[in-house]
Amino acid sequence: MSDSFQDALAGLAAIVGDKHVIASGADQEPYVVDWRGRYRGRAVAVVKPGSTAEVASVVKYCADRRLAIVPQGGNTGMCGAATPDDHAGNVVIRLDRMRAVRDVSPLANTITVEAGCILAEVQNAARSVDRYFPLSLGAEGSCQIGGNISTNAGGTAVLRYGPTRDLVLGLEAVLPDGRIFNGLRALRKDNTGYALKQLFIGAEGTLGIVTAAVLKLFSPPRSSALALVKLQGVAQALEIMQRLRGMVGDRLGSLEIMSRSQIEAIAETVPHVTIPFELTTPWYLIVELTDTLAGVDLDEPLATALADAMEAGIAEDVILASNLAQAKAIWAVRHSVSEGNKRSGYVVSHDSVVPLERQADFVTNVEARIMAAVPHARVVMHGHIGDGNILVIALIDRAHCQEPATTAALVAQINEIVDDETAAQGGAISAEHGIGITNRVRLARVADPLDIELMRGIKRLLDPNGLMNPGKIFGAGAA
């Protein structure tokens, strides 16, 4: 390590303490490799500040010395947005030590938390005051709320509560020069100019580091009903959604769909998950109704609506969860999709979003086009059908992915198919996973040039030296 980097380590340790600076290559391993093991970078140090003031001091120290800064949450992302590149002068900033719940207000229905809080901890803190934080996803036991905010995470409750962007009232963030943006206000109404907090939500750490947030809370669901519906196609799922919205309105809390091939991938590779139903149709829909009133019978309207759907030939079969254990078993399948896919082969993943009316055509067309172009691919799908977001995943046997150039060409071919079909259906290439490293070429190919120009302008304004999470969204050197 060069003398300048040794000096940097000493300077960073002076801010956060020796034990909170990781310089060893072996000890850095969990922080310089992404969750899927696809990207590996280098870092001068992994630094773990214990307060917003320490984050600001670390960032200013790095900015003054032109050291690149890579914010990282729980490192559970799908696109490499939290992974440093291969340049030597990176400093990874983790907020693991910043896990305080600063305030919970049942009156205002808000919770103020530091960015290092694990998502499940936020949920539990809300539950402790008889409130509900609705963001829920498979990695909730390890992902951090700062990362959720920086990627505008979606999850399984978007249909009713919206993505993370809709759950954030206020933000605190450290800017690329070390100044602190203090927008940590718990106000439902604030019309004083630009909503600056929105710049940091979904920006993937390229404009600053989120250090704390005020989040919305809700009354907890006290009654629920869940069913698994077997379907022939996506069009039938959309018809069921339309019927349910007419019958139960906002009680429709979640609507999640999985292809048979997706469930088979889980059954084959995730031994701790049992598939609690027979695979007899091409598609499977999870329907969950919830109500904030205790003792409300939701089983009856759900059973009636789905019985009517079966009578109309829209649904093939219905399994009503008769108890909490059965409901959890069904949800366990849905929450295992990422793990199952990762174990099944090389994953070429897309989280396209298209208008609801176009989802059936999108699914049919994109699968046919991938299989025609890459016959050895295994196409699996799952997603949040009520939001227009069905994830298309091509699983490739790793025997076909031994050579990097061959793999890159194969991925590019599949990406172009999915992106072209997404555009043809009036959609966007990412609903919730973001851009990171994985999707930056795709974004450059399909985005409106004016969108890119405006985003680059914001990046230059806040980060003129391009030090904050370089190489993400736009590519290297694209400040």
Side-chain angles (χ1 to χ4, degrees):
M1 183 176 288
S2 69
D3 291 342
S4 62
F5 287 166
Q6 288 286 4
D7 290 344
L9 288 173
L12 293 168
I15 297 170
V16 302
D18 287 334
K19 67 179 180 179
H20 302 307
V21 176
I22 302 172
S24 166
D27 292 339
Q28 285 186 0
E29 184 77 4
Y31 310 106
V32 298
V33 180
D34 75 304
W35 179 77
R36 293 194 293 181
R38 193 159 295 179
Y39 306 110
R40 177 182 295 273
R42 291 192 292 166
V44 176
V46 177
V47 183
K48 298 185 177 183
S51 66
T52 300
E54 285 190 358
V55 175
S57 295
V58 169
V59 169
K60 187 176 189 311
Y61 183 91
C62 292
D64 289 345
R65 290 155 183 79
R66 296 295 178 92
L67 296 170
I69 301 159
V70 183
Q72 187 178 99
N75 199 19
T76 61
M78 303 293 287
C79 301
T83 306
D85 62 22
D86 196 40
H87 292 89
N90 294 309
V91 175
V92 175
I93 299 181
R94 293 268 306 199
L95 303 188
D96 304 62
R97 297 171 60 213
M98 295 180 58
R99 296 172 68 163
V101 176
R102 295 184 183 178
D103 180 67
V104 185
S105 174
L107 173 64
N109 266 356
T110 62
I111 184 169
T112 304
V113 299
E114 293 182 339
C117 272
I118 302 299
L119 174 54
E121 295 172 352
V122 180
Q123 297 168 344
N124 290 336
R127 196 174 295 117
S128 71
V129 294
D130 195 33
R131 291 296 183 268
Y132 175 61
F133 184 63
L135 182 63
S136 179
L137 46 138
E140 61 192 31
S142 57
C143 63
Q144 296 177 8
I145 196 66
N148 299 145
I149 292 168
S150 295
T151 56
N152 189 28
T156 56
V158 171
L159 182 63
R160 184 167 184 176
Y161 298 97
T164 302
R165 186 181 300 279
D166 293 344
L167 303 175
V168 176
L169 285 173
L171 273 186
E172 176 186 85
V174 174
L175 302 181
D177 59 5
R179 289 180 295 169
I180 298 172
F181 166 73
N182 185 7
L184 208 59
R185 293 184 288 275
L187 301 175
R188 299 275 172 165
K189 300 172 72 176
D190 183 353
N191 203 21
T192 52
Y194 300 152
L196 296 174
K197 69 182 181 187
Q198 298 294 349
L199 288 174
F200 303 98
I201 304 174
E204 302 182 21
T206 61
L207 301 179
I209 302 177
V210 173
T211 51
V214 183
L215 306 170
K216 295 179 183 177
L217 298 181
F218 300 84
S219 297
R222 294 183 174 88
S223 302
S224 65
L226 183 137
L228 181 95
V229 187
K230 298 183 178 184
L231 304 168
Q232 290 298 326
V234 171
Q236 287 74 32
L238 294 170
E239 177 64 27
I240 288 172
M241 180 179 74
Q242 182 170 298
R243 287 171 174 243
L244 285 169
R245 278 182 163 166
M247 290 182 63
V248 301
D250 286 343
R251 290 186 176 93
L252 181 57
S254 296
L255 204 66
E256 297 290 306
I257 198 164
M258 296 176 285
S259 66
R260 176 172 178 159
S261 58
Q262 175 65 88
I263 300 173
E264 288 172 339
I266 296 168
E268 294 165 8
T269 61
V270 188
H272 64 269
V273 172
T274 300
I275 311 301
F277 46 85
E278 289 188 84
L279 300 181
T280 55
T281 55
W283 289 92
Y284 298 81
L285 183 71
I286 299 174
V287 182
E288 184 173 51
L289 307 187
T290 61
D291 199 293
T292 58
L293 294 175
V296 175
D297 181 7
L298 296 176
D299 288 318
E300 191 278 329
L302 182 58
T304 299
L306 296 179
D308 290 346
M310 287 184 64
E311 187 175 340
I314 299 169
E316 298 297 314
D317 194 12
V318 174
I319 300 172
L320 289 168
S322 58
N323 52 55
L324 182 60
Q326 192 174 8
K328 286 184 174 180
I330 292 172
W331 273 123
V333 179
R334 173 62 183 86
H335 285 311
S336 299
V337 294
S338 295
E339 185 178 0
N341 292 341
K342 181 181 178 181
R343 295 182 178 190
S344 296
Y346 189 92
V347 179
V348 187
S349 179
H350 313 84
D351 66 316
S352 298
V353 57
V354 300
L356 294 182
E357 297 85 356
R358 303 284 187 86
Q359 285 186 101
D361 289 341
F362 171 74
V363 164
T364 300
N365 294 351
V366 79
E367 182 173 21
R369 291 179 62 179
I370 292 174
M371 294 309 300
V374 189
H376 57 80
R378 182 182 189 180
V379 178
V380 305
M381 301 190 200
H382 66 271
H384 322 296
I385 188 167
D387 331 319
N389 174 206
I390 294 184
L391 290 86
V392 178
I393 297 101
L395 301 176
I396 311 297
D397 190 302
R398 290 188 174 88
H400 294 280
C401 301
Q402 299 301 309
E403 297 296 328
T406 302
T407 303
L410 185 62
V411 170
Q413 183 182 19
I414 296 172
N415 286 347
E416 289 194 14
I417 290 170
V418 177
D419 294 346
D420 289 347
E421 189 60 40
T422 300
Q425 302 296 343
I429 66 166
S430 179
E432 57 185 7
H433 289 170
I435 304 304
I437 300 171
T438 304
N439 295 326
R440 62 193 185 190
V441 172
R442 298 173 60 205
L443 179 70
R445 177 175 174 265
V446 303
D448 186 324
L450 179 58
D451 290 354
I452 298 294
E453 179 185 337
L454 292 173
M455 288 193 290
R456 285 183 183 274
I458 294 169
K459 173 70 170 171
R460 283 193 296 270
L461 176 65
L462 293 180
D463 186 20
N465 295 316
L467 296 177
M468 188 63 70
N469 214 8
K472 311 309 183 332
I473 301 180
F474 307 110

